[in-house]
Amino acid sequence: MERDLALRIASGFAGGMRMAATCGSVTGAIMVLGLKHATGECHTVKGREPVYAAMQAFLAHFEAR
């Protein structure tokens, strides 16, 4: 994906998405984890298990920092 396209897609995540509750960086990171870890079966719970595992590890690290 071209950098400009990625920045345009992610531009709404800046500044906590204007909700003051959900970190836009975390939301964007979860999207990237899905891109990296999802299988062709991501429409099923079993197919999303690798994504959920990666999310769990990321969120634990994020909260610890």
Side-chain angles (χ1 to χ4, degrees):
M1 177 182 301
E2 292 181 18
R3 183 177 189 274
D4 182 62
L5 178 59
L7 289 172
R8 288 173 41 214
I9 290 170
S11 63
F13 295 120
M17 300 181 298
R18 302 291 181 236
M19 297 175 65
T22 305
C23 177
S25 296
V26 171
T27 304
I30 290 171
M31 292 179 69
V32 170
L33 291 171
L35 215 96
K36 182 176 180 182
H37 296 283
T39 68
E41 296 297 314
C42 64
H43 60 280
T44 68
V45 173
K46 181 134 180 83
R48 289 188 298 272
E49 286 177 357
V51 180
Y52 293 152
M55 285 172 54
Q56 188 174 25
F58 167 77
L59 293 170
H61 181 74
F62 183 84
E63 288 176 2
R65 288 196 67 191

